[in-house]
Amino acid sequence: MDGKDFISRMGALLSLLGGALFTAFLLGAVTLYFYSFPGQLSQVDHGNTPSEGTTASTKENVEVAQIEGGIHQPTGFIVDQGYKVVIANCTGCHSSQLVIQNRASREGWKNMITWMQATQNLWDLGDQEEQILNYLAKHYAPVDQGRRKPLANIEWYELK
Amino acid sequence: MANRRTFIKKGLLAAYSSALGMNIVFGHTMPVDYKPVLLGQKPASPPSGKHPGMVVLNDRPWNVEAQAHLLDDKITPADKMFIRNNGQVPRNMDVSSWELLVDGESVLQPKKYSLADLRSRFQPYTYQLTLECGGNGRGEFNPPAKGNQWTVGAVSCAEWTGVRLRDLLNDVGIAKDALYIGYYGKDEHLSGDKDKVVISRGVPIEKAMMPETLLAYSMNGGDIPLVHGHPLRMVAGGWPASASGKWIHRLSVRNIVHDGPKMGGDSYRVPCEPVAPGTPAKNMCIIESMPVKSLVTYPKSGAILPHGKTLGIRGHAWAGEYEVSSMHYSIDFGATWHPCHLEKPNNRLAWQHWQAQVDLPQRGYYEVWARATDSHRRQQPMVVPGWNPKGYLNNACHRIAVKSV
C-alpha cells in the first residue's frame, strides 16, 4: 500500500464518518501504519535531538540496529548531521540511490534542488536547504577521476 | 475536498515529523501524495523478470543496467534489457480499451486507433533495433554529471515488431509543415501530480518517416514487457532511447520542434560548440544519432587463462544512425590495433557482432580494448570524449581485464 492508495482509501472511508470520529480514526490509523513498520522508523540523528515522545529505549535499539558502519541501512545514506532532513525531503519522490550515486559541489547540489523546484514539484526547503546542502556537499562531493580511471573491482576467475 | 485533503495532510505531516524526530519545515507545501522513505526502502534487487546480475541504479523510478557480459546474446532478451524510467510504471492500465490519438498542428484531422486497428489495418514490420540511453557511460565524466550514473550496460538490441510510423502518419494525413513527432505515454510523475507529464520527447519528421521507425506492439516475438512500454512503444533505433517513448497513447505531429518535458534545457542535449570540462554552455543542441560504440561481451572481465592458450573474444558494435565499418582490438593500451571479424547488421540500425582470437605474448596482466569505426571513419576515443553538462554520449572504448598465468 503506498501513500496514494492510503490517502484515497482513507478519503473514501472518512467521508462516511463525522468530524470527531474522523480525527480519532485518522490519528489511530496513521499511528498503526507507522508501528506496523517498526524496522523502518529512524530516530537517531547524530547532532539532532529527537523530539519529545519518540525516544523510547526499545525504539532506539531498533534504530541503532539500522545503522551499520556509519550507514543508515534502509537508505544507504552516511549517518551524519542532516541525513534525516535529506531523507525527509528527498526520498518521497525518488530513491535515496539517486542521491547516493551522484557527486557534486555545493553549487551543483544547489542547482539540482533549483531544477527540482522548477520542474519536479519540490517545495521550498526553507532553512533546511542549508542543512541539506551542508550534508550533501560534505559527503557526496566530486572526486577528480581524470580522463579515464583504471579498471576497478575486477573479480578474477579461471576461464574454462 | 480541499479542506479534507489539507486535514489529512496535516495528520500525516504530524506523524511523519514525529517518526523522524524532527519537523519537516515547509511541510505544508508538501504534496499530499508525498511519503518520506522512513516507511520503507531497502537496497533494491532487480525487479521481477530481470536477470539477477542486472545492476539497480535507482528503484524509484526504476533505472537498471546490464553488465557487458550479460549482453552476449545476439538479440537481447527481456531479462537483460536495461530499464530507464523517468516516472513510475503505469498502474491499472486497461489494454482492451487502449486508444492511440494522433493529433497536433500538422495533422489534417486528429484520428484515433485501437490496438486492434494497428494490428489489423497495417502491415507489420520486424527489425532488430539498437536502443542506447543517451547517458550510457555517464559515470565516467569528470567533473561528474548529475543523474543515473550508468556504466556500460544501458544498451540493448531486441527484435521489435509493429507498425511503421510513416504508414500510420500517411493514414492520418499530415500537412506539409510537419516538423516533429512528440509522444505522450501513460507513465506517472514521481511527485504523484497526475497533471504532470513525465517525459514527452520525439523525433524530427525525417526520422519518423524512416522505414525502421516503428510504433511497436511486440518485442522478441511476444508482448512488450510492461516495464518496457506495453502495449505500445515508439522505437527509433540508433537515437537516444528517450526518443523511443513507452506506454504511448498519443502522438502529436508538430509544426515546431516538439516542446514536451525533457525536450528543452540541458535534457538530451549537448553544447552546440564544445566547452571546457565543468563550464556552462550557452547553446545546447538536441542529440540525434548516437555515436559509434562497441562492447566486449565475452569473456567477462577478470578472465584468467593458462599461458599459451588463445583467447577468443567477441561482442557487438553499433553506430547510431550509421553502420560500423570496422572493428579492432588492442592488448597494449592502443599502441597497436588488430582487426576483428565483423558481421554486417541484420538490418539497418541493428548492432553488429564481432569476434577475434587473441594471443597474449607473455604471462601477466592485460587489458583488451575494443574500438569500432563507423561508415564516416569516426572511431571510438580511448579517453572519455567531450565533457557536457549532463554527461551524454560517452562512447570511449570498452575494455576488460585478462591475466595470463
Side-chain angles (χ1 to χ4, degrees):
Chain A
M1 181 164 84
D2 66 11
K4 237 177 286 177
D5 290 336
F6 177 64
I7 307 277
S8 60
R9 211 175 291 188
M10 291 294 290
L13 273 173
L14 294 172
S15 62
L16 301 170
L17 299 168
L21 190 56
F22 165 72
T23 311
F25 182 76
L26 172 67
L27 293 177
V30 166
T31 309
L32 247 177
Y33 189 42
F34 275 82
Y35 280 79
S36 59
F37 295 94
Q40 305 299 340
L41 291 170
S42 55
Q43 306 286 331
V44 177
D45 189 359
H46 298 199
N48 268 1
T49 313
S51 66
E52 47 188 312
T54 59
T55 53
S57 61
T58 48
K59 247 202 261 176
E60 275 193 1
N61 289 340
V62 170
E63 288 131 22
V64 168
Q66 285 193 298
I67 296 167
E68 278 176 41
I71 302 294
H72 179 242
Q73 297 301 315
T75 58
F77 279 122
I78 294 166
V79 175
D80 193 6
Q81 177 142 21
Y83 88 101
K84 286 212 285 193
V85 191
V86 172
I87 292 175
N89 286 289
C90 305
T91 61
C93 288
H94 60 74
S95 164
S96 58
Q97 295 164 295
L98 188 58
V99 181
I100 290 165
Q101 63 176 307
N102 272 280
R103 295 288 179 275
S105 63
R106 187 186 178 84
E107 186 192 6
W109 287 112
K110 167 76 180 163
N111 288 343
M112 286 185 231
I113 288 171
T114 305
W115 174 80
M116 285 186 282
Q117 286 169 334
T119 67
Q120 305 294 307
N121 288 1
L122 176 62
W123 47 87
D124 184 341
L125 296 166
D127 60 7
Q128 292 193 339
E129 181 169 306
E130 195 65 13
Q131 298 175 55
I132 291 169
L133 289 174
N134 288 344
Y135 172 82
L136 294 174
K138 177 177 174 187
H139 292 290
Y140 301 97
V143 180
D144 189 346
Q145 56 186 44
R147 202 71 190 228
R148 205 87 210 257
K149 276 196 297 190
L151 290 173
N153 306 320
I154 302 166
E155 293 168 13
W156 293 104
Y157 66 97
E158 277 184 41
L159 184 66
K160 300 290 179 198
Chain B
M1 192 60 200
N3 283 342
R4 181 161 293 157
R5 280 172 73 88
T6 307
F7 192 75
I8 292 170
K9 197 156 88 175
K10 278 184 180 162
L12 282 171
L13 196 56
Y16 291 153
S17 300
S18 153
L20 279 165
M22 58 187 301
N23 290 321
I24 301 178
V25 178
F26 288 92
H28 59 278
T29 61
M30 208 165 78
V32 74
D33 290 332
Y34 175 89
K35 181 178 68 167
V37 74
L38 78 168
L39 296 183
Q41 184 175 41
K42 292 213 161 60
S45 45
S48 63
K50 288 293 165 190
H51 188 282
M54 297 289 284
V55 178
V56 177
L57 301 180
N58 195 348
D59 60 352
R60 197 158 37 97
W62 282 115
N63 282 278
V64 179
E65 69 172 331
Q67 303 178 63
H69 67 278
L70 294 179
L71 293 170
D72 196 41
D73 300 88
K74 291 195 165 182
I75 296 173
T76 311
D79 68 327
K80 295 167 186 163
M81 178 178 275
F82 75 97
I83 306 170
R84 194 285 182 256
N85 282 349
N86 289 260
Q88 300 278 27
V89 176
R91 289 168 288 190
N92 310 319
M93 292 191 306
D94 183 3
V95 173
S96 63
S97 64
W98 193 276
E99 271 188 336
L100 171 71
L101 168 67
V102 186
D103 66 359
E105 302 95 347
S106 298
V107 294
L108 301 183
Q109 75 289 315
K111 201 163 172 179
K112 283 183 175 176
Y113 298 88
S114 69
L115 291 177
D117 291 337
L118 295 176
R119 283 177 183 267
S120 63
R121 292 184 41 206
F122 297 91
Q123 168 78 34
Y125 290 90
T126 298
Y127 297 105
Q128 295 173 17
L129 296 168
T130 309
L131 288 182
E132 182 179 16
C133 174
N136 198 21
R138 174 177 293 139
E140 284 195 293
F141 279 100
N142 178 32
K146 90 177 172 89
N148 291 290
Q149 301 294 302
W150 304 102
T151 63
V152 298
V155 62
S156 66
C157 184
E159 198 163 70
W160 297 91
T161 301
V163 175
R164 276 182 174 159
L165 197 50
R166 72 175 182 193
D167 291 351
L168 183 78
L169 296 175
N170 288 335
D171 189 73
V172 172
I174 59 171
K176 284 207 176 69
D177 66 349
L179 192 67
Y180 226 90
I181 306 296
Y183 66 72
Y184 291 89
K186 291 222 173 176
D187 37 354
E188 298 169 15
H189 200 269
L190 292 175
S191 66
D193 185 341
K194 291 191 169 32
D195 297 327
K196 256 183 126 57
V197 174
V198 175
I199 179 169
S200 171
R201 304 196 69 246
V203 293
I205 195 75
E206 294 79 18
K207 175 68 173 170
M209 289 302 201
M210 291 279 199
E212 302 85 3
T213 303
L214 298 180
L215 193 59
Y217 44 70
S218 176
M219 186 185 105
N220 294 343
D223 279 348
I224 301 171
L226 176 61
V227 74
H228 295 298
H230 179 74
L232 212 50
R233 158 167 213 179
M234 249 181 82
V235 188
W239 285 43
S242 59
S244 296
K246 303 193 256 193
W247 312 289
I248 300 300
H249 66 92
R250 178 182 164 203
L251 293 173
S252 279
V253 185
R254 309 295 311 270
N255 62 4
I256 55 169
V257 173
H258 183 54
D259 52 1
K262 307 228 171 178
M263 280 300 297
D266 290 352
S267 293
Y268 304 99
R269 290 176 182 238
V270 291
C272 303
E273 294 122 31
V275 296
T279 54
K282 279 198 202 97
N283 299 317
M284 300 290 284
C285 284
I286 299 172
I287 300 168
E288 298 196 332
S289 173
M290 292 293 288
V292 62
K293 200 164 174 179
S294 61
L295 278 180
V296 183
T297 60
Y298 181 89
K300 179 178 186 256
S301 185
I304 301 170
L305 67 162
H307 181 59
K309 191 180 171 191
T310 299
L311 172 68
I313 59 171
R314 63 175 180 254
H316 318 291
W318 60 96
E321 191 65 27
Y322 308 99
E323 192 170 317
V324 179
S325 54
S326 65
M327 185 72 210
H328 292 81
Y329 75 86
S330 175
I331 55 169
D332 54 14
F333 302 93
T336 60
W337 290 93
H338 312 278
C340 306
H341 176 261
L342 175 71
E343 294 179 26
K344 295 291 281 181
N346 181 74
N347 51 261
R348 212 177 73 81
L349 313 182
W351 68 15
Q352 296 165 244
H353 317 300
W354 62 267
Q355 53 155 305
Q357 301 293 319
V358 182
D359 289 313
L360 303 172
Q362 62 185 93
R363 290 181 176 84
Y365 172 88
Y366 293 88
E367 289 179 9
V368 180
W369 289 60
R371 189 190 72 191
T373 304
D374 75 10
S375 47
H376 287 63
R377 297 206 293 179
R378 288 172 294 213
Q379 300 180 339
Q380 291 183 257
M382 289 185 69
V383 295
V384 177
W387 185 90
N388 61 88
K390 293 292 289 292
Y392 296 119
L393 307 184
N394 176 9
N395 67 333
C397 292
H398 182 228
R399 59 212 157 120
I400 60 167
V402 173
K403 249 192 242 180
S404 174
V405 295

